[in-house]
């Protein structure tokens, strides 16, 4: 606006056909502005400058009067630049732009300059007015913004934006030269735990130290970026083959073998999972490449962490399917699409229903009934099993308790517990809470765990078995006979019952091996004081065999499939 004001005034001045002297007076009006002002005649000889001009350039008025503004020229612009500038002024009477000039001291600085031609009523140019602002500060500010836009302030590494820009470039070069580069996505394992245990400043310190270890391992031509949170990425520019990429991924894993010591005195051992994809083989576009590397990372995480995985098409399909399923399952939990079905457990001696196993079902509005084999494994990996397991236990306890209150014959309730749940110290407390909340008698609850869950419990600071025994909750070992446990090692655990795996029962009574194993399990279990429950009994012959061997209880299609609560009550409890 200041520029326009000056130009307007200068025009008024010329409109009255003023002399150079009067032009100088006009300039004096603006001598108090912070903008430098130069007034020249038609031959571009300086006739006046203001005080700000002297302050900004270091030249006094006497030093420049009669000279052309060329005294201020830096060598930053070529002749063409000035030619363009002047042809613009000739054509339009006006030019504005950024220009690098030189102060008297020799220092080069950027300014925003506006030049306007002063024309008389005959449309003849009688002089020029230049108004300029020193934009050194502004420039510096812009550079800082630029820096912020491309670098991660915590680690000083490049950020996602700059990495993507470099990837785009590298991908083109790789394509042109028919060479490969590689992209590695790196995610710290259990970083959240560090943050939770030691606090965010410690988490930040750890990230910086991890970044440094990576950086020391890489060449300066490799691009190491922090994408955010605990995610890093490395772009290895071509030529890089799968072997080299694998070696570097392995080396990066190795950099974290030694503990990282934090300033608080804590020593932290952190692992990483790495996904690797080669370009252009695994993606012609940056977005595809990123998605594919991400799929490989997901797989690395799934496969036990502190490892790396390469991308493959098959792997992506799997990862995609899993993610879709995971999202759907989350929704299902929220939208109440899960149901608990109940399968009867019969006492062989009395022929009565003595219990029910709670088995979760997913009633998808589109797909219909989905069986647990399709989502229990996934929910373990994604830890959704915790809310899911809680929900099943709560729903089943509430249901069986409601039946007892309604005067129906009391039954034992069996609920499955996954390996991940067995490994979590919170599980015992959750069981207590749910029992209290629902008023369910602990003695009537049996938790079913597999041998895997048994081993998983060993890493838990809480011995779930002992805790449950204190409460009076019983424990059954599910799918027994398929794992590695021997009956004698079981003695160490307070297990109450063994569920003989369906695979043996199905083969009865024709298969001699199945006969031998079943007979041995029942015999030894009784010697050691465990109850036995046969799973998957489908025929009368199987039932007769089990009864003859002295098996305690049976469960299977012979007595009925898992049923929704109301149908179960109708069929087994009300009829009784
Ligand atoms: P499981 O605990 O061994 O459950 C027995 C499975 O055998 C059930 O499959 C049941 O429907 C099936 N079954 C019962 N009788 C017969 C029969 O006579 N013939 C045949 N062919 N199958 C029979 P389902 O309901 O599909 O559950 C599969 C597994 O999913 C369960 O095996 C259990 O490990 C897991 N699961 C189910 N619900 C839950 C849950 O709420 N939490 C957890 N953690 N796991 C669950
Ligand atoms: Mg079970
Ligand atoms: Mg089973």
């Amino acid at each position: 606006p200041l520029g326009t004001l000056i130009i307007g005034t200068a025009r008024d001045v010329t409109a009255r056909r003023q002399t150079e002297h009067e032009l100088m007076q006009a300039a004096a009006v603006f001598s108090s502005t912070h903008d430098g002002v130069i007034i020249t005649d038609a031959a571009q000889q300086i006739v006046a400058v203001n005080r700000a001009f002297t302050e900004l350039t270091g030249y006094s008025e006497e030093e420049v009067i009669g000279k052309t503004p060329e005294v201020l020229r830096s060598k930053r612009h070529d002749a063409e630049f000035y030619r363009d500038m002047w042809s613009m002024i000739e054509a339009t009477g006006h030019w504005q732009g950024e220009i690098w000039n030189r102060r008297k001291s020799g220092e080069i600085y950027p300014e925003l300059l506006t030049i306007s031609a002063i024309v008389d009523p005959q449309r003849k140019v009688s002089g020029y007015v230049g108004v300029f602002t020193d934009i050194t500060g502004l420039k510096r500010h812009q550079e800082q913004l630029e820096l912020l836009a491309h670098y991660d302030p915590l680690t000083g590494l490049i950020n996602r934006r700059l990495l993507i820009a470099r990837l785009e470039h590298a991908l083109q070069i790789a394509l042109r030269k028919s060479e490969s580069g590689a992209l590695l996505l790196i995610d710290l394992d259990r970083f959240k735990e560090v943050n939770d245990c030691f606090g965010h400043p410690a988490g930040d310190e750890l990230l910086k130290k991890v970044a440094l270890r990576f950086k020391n391992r890489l060449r300066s031509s490799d691009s190491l970026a922090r994408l955010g949170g605990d995610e890093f990425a490395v772009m290895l520019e071509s030529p890089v083959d799968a072997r080299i990429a694998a070696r570097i991924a392995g080396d990066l894993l190795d950099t974290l073998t030694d503990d990282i010591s934090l300033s608080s005195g804590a020593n932290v051992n952190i692992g990483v999972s790495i996904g690797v994809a080669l370009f252009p083989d695994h993606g012609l576009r940056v977005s595809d490449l990123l998605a594919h590397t991400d799929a490989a990372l997901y797989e690395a995480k799934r496969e036990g962490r502190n490892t790396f995985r390469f991308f493959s098409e098959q792997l992506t399909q799997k990862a995609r399917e899993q993610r879709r399923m995971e999202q759907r399952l989350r929704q299902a939990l929220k939208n109440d699409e899960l149901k608990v079905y109940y399968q009867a457990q019969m006492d062989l001696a009395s022929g009565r229903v003595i219990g029910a196993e709670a088995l979760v079902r997913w009633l998808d509005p589109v797909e219909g009934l989905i069986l647990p084999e399709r989502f229990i494994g996934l929910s373990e990996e994604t830890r959704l099993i915790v809310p899911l397991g809680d929900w099943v236990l709560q729903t089943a306890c509430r249901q069986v308790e409601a039946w007892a209150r309604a005067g129906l014959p009391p039954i034992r309730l069996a609920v499955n517990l996954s390996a991940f749940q067995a490994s979590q110290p919170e599980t015992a407390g959750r069981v207590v809470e749910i029992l209290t909340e629902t008023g369910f008698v602990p003695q009537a609850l049996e938790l079913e765990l597999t041998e895997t869950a048994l081993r998983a419990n060993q890493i838990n600071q809480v011995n779930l078995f002992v805790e449950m025994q204190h409460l009076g909750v019983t424990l059954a070992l599910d799918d027994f006979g398929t794992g590695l446990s021997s009956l004698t090692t079981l003695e160490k655990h307070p297990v109450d019952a063994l569920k003989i795996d369906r695979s043996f029962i199905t083969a009865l009574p024709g298969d001699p091996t199945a006969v031998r194993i079943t007979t041995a399990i029942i015999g030894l279990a009784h010697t050691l004081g465990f109850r036995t429950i046969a799973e998957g009994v489908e025929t009368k012959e199987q039932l007769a065999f089990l009864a003859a061997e002295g098996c305690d209880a049976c469960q299977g299609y012979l007595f009925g499939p898992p049923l929704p609560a109301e149908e179960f009550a109708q069929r087994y409890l009300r009829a009784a």
Side-chain angles (χ1 to χ4, degrees):
L2 202 54
T4 352
L5 175 73
I6 292 166
I7 294 150
T9 315
R11 278 214 182 99
D12 291 345
V13 169
T14 49
R16 277 180 275 125
R17 295 181 137 259
Q18 295 296 353
T19 59
E20 287 171 2
H21 175 72
E22 283 165 321
L23 275 173
M24 274 185 265
Q25 280 186 323
V29 173
F30 309 106
S31 62
S32 64
T33 71
H34 294 293
D35 292 351
V37 179
I38 311 174
I39 298 175
T40 73
D41 59 16
Q44 290 180 38
Q45 284 187 334
I46 297 173
V47 293
V49 295
N50 69 347
R51 187 162 359 117
F53 171 93
T54 303
E55 278 158 17
L56 292 170
T57 65
Y59 290 107
S60 66
E61 187 163 28
E62 297 75 52
E63 287 175 297
V64 291
I65 292 286
K67 298 195 174 137
T68 73
E70 273 178 46
V71 294
L72 301 170
R73 278 193 187 179
S74 72
K75 295 203 176 73
R76 288 248 176 137
H77 308 281
D78 53 14
E80 199 185 337
F81 175 87
Y82 294 103
R83 249 199 322 276
D84 288 351
M85 184 171 103
W86 283 107
S87 57
M88 177 90 167
I89 297 166
E90 272 166 38
T92 67
H94 199 72
W95 183 89
Q96 184 173 55
E98 279 181 29
I99 188 166
W100 291 87
N101 271 349
R102 202 169 34 127
R103 299 190 220 274
K104 189 181 175 188
S105 66
E107 187 195 352
I108 292 172
Y109 68 98
E111 61 176 46
L112 181 67
L113 172 66
T114 306
I115 301 175
S116 302
I118 306 164
V119 281
D120 61 23
Q122 282 78 47
R123 313 205 119 265
K124 230 179 105 241
V125 172
S126 62
Y128 301 93
V129 179
V131 180
F132 62 93
T133 319
D134 186 337
I135 53 171
T136 309
L138 191 74
K139 270 260 181 258
R140 197 178 299 134
H141 193 64
Q142 254 173 10
E143 274 161 19
Q144 265 165 0
L145 282 177
E146 188 87 339
L147 214 67
L148 276 181
H150 288 136
Y151 289 83
D152 168 46
L154 180 70
T155 58
L157 300 178
I158 65 170
N159 66 11
R160 181 186 290 272
R161 258 172 82 176
L162 189 51
L163 179 81
I164 286 174
R166 287 194 188 167
L167 261 178
E168 246 144 32
H169 183 68
L171 196 56
Q172 274 164 17
I173 290 180
L175 277 169
R176 193 163 354 110
K177 292 200 200 160
S178 324
E179 285 173 355
S180 313
L183 177 65
L184 281 66
L185 281 183
I186 308 171
D187 193 285
L188 301 195
D189 296 333
R190 288 182 285 272
F191 174 67
K192 200 182 159 298
E193 282 170 35
V194 175
N195 257 341
D196 291 349
C197 291
F198 302 105
H200 283 273
D204 283 354
E205 190 186 352
L206 183 77
L207 288 172
K208 277 200 253 183
K209 291 196 161 154
V210 167
L212 195 66
R213 287 201 186 175
F214 288 164
K215 206 170 170 176
N216 287 339
R217 168 56 192 84
L218 297 165
R219 296 168 306 182
S220 55
S221 58
D222 302 330
S223 295
L224 173 62
R226 177 169 173 237
L227 304 183
D230 60 346
E231 260 198 6
F232 294 87
V234 180
M235 182 186 80
L236 306 169
E237 273 180 81
S238 62
V240 169
D241 60 13
R243 249 196 23 248
I244 297 174
R247 203 190 58 223
I248 293 174
D251 284 358
L252 290 175
L253 286 174
D254 289 345
T255 60
L256 299 177
T257 313
D258 294 337
D259 285 2
I260 294 179
S261 17
L262 302 178
S263 51
S264 65
N267 285 328
V268 179
N269 195 283
I270 194 113
V272 285
S273 300
I274 306 179
V276 189
L278 298 176
F279 57 84
D281 292 17
H282 296 157
L284 290 172
R285 286 183 318 182
V286 168
S287 55
D288 291 341
L289 184 63
L290 279 168
H292 292 163
T293 319
D294 198 40
L297 172 62
Y298 190 74
E299 192 65 14
K301 277 223 173 284
R302 247 175 44 88
E303 292 191 11
R305 292 151 193 273
N306 212 25
T307 181
F308 67 86
R309 281 287 168 275
F310 270 74
F311 164 78
S312 73
E313 195 51 58
Q314 185 191 350
L315 201 155
T316 318
Q317 284 301 337
K318 213 168 99 193
R320 225 175 259 152
E321 157 80 8
Q322 288 238 330
R323 276 196 195 175
R324 244 199 321 267
M325 201 70 176
E326 181 184 337
Q327 276 161 4
R328 282 176 54 197
L329 187 57
R330 262 179 222 287
Q331 284 302 316
L333 265 166
K334 252 197 254 151
N335 301 349
D336 225 17
E337 286 165 26
L338 298 179
K339 297 283 174 284
V340 178
Y341 277 35
Y342 300 85
Q343 188 176 34
Q345 295 183 331
M346 314 293 292
D347 178 56
L348 274 187
S350 66
R352 287 225 186 90
V353 176
I354 47 157
E357 177 175 5
L359 293 159
V360 68
R361 296 290 181 268
W362 176 359
L363 290 173
D364 184 80
V366 181
E367 218 179 299
L369 185 80
I370 303 176
L371 290 174
E373 61 179 16
R374 280 199 42 216
F375 62 90
I376 289 291
L378 175 71
S379 58
E380 286 222 24
E381 283 158 22
T382 54
R383 310 314 188 211
L384 280 173
I385 192 71
V386 173
L388 187 152
D390 278 359
W391 179 83
V392 170
L393 183 61
Q394 191 180 44
T395 307
C397 284
R398 213 174 264 158
Q399 181 61 72
V400 176
E401 181 62 19
W403 285 332
R405 294 225 175 118
L408 299 177
I411 51 167
R412 176 191 293 279
L413 168 66
V415 178
N416 295 284
L417 216 62
S418 80
F420 181 72
Q421 287 174 288
S423 74
Q424 296 304 100
E426 296 80 24
T427 304
R430 278 302 289 151
V431 174
V432 175
E433 265 175 55
I434 290 170
L435 287 172
T436 316
E437 209 173 281
T438 57
F440 197 86
V441 198
Q443 286 75 13
L445 179 64
E446 181 153 275
L447 295 178
E448 297 191 1
L449 290 101
T450 59
E451 289 168 61
T452 318
L454 202 80
R455 274 193 294 277
N457 186 227
Q458 284 167 357
I459 64 159
N460 192 341
Q461 303 97 292
V462 179
N463 188 329
L464 197 62
F465 294 76
V466 173
E467 291 294 308
M468 291 301 113
Q469 201 179 34
H470 282 321
L471 281 175
V473 172
T474 60
L475 292 162
L477 209 53
D478 210 344
D479 306 338
F480 188 76
T482 55
L484 299 165
S485 311
S486 69
L487 280 169
T488 42
T489 60
L490 281 180
E491 249 190 321
K492 290 187 293 189
H493 302 282
V495 173
D496 301 280
L498 302 181
K499 294 192 80 177
I500 308 166
D501 191 66
R502 194 176 75 222
S503 58
F504 303 116
I505 308 298
T506 308
L508 292 177
D511 184 296
T513 312
V515 167
R516 265 203 309 278
I517 292 174
T518 312
T519 311
I521 293 176
I522 296 171
L524 267 168
H526 286 165
T527 320
L528 298 169
F530 301 134
R531 263 184 298 122
T532 48
I533 305 162
E535 292 186 309
V537 179
E538 293 182 358
T539 68
K540 289 210 177 75
E541 290 72 32
Q542 291 163 356
L543 178 66
F545 177 90
L546 292 162
E549 290 302 322
C551 183
D552 298 292
C554 280
Q555 191 182 335
Y557 293 169
L558 181 64
F559 313 102
L563 294 171
E566 194 37 47
E567 285 173 51
F568 178 90
Q570 200 57 42
R571 181 158 168 182
Y572 300 104
L573 305 179
R574 295 194 216 284

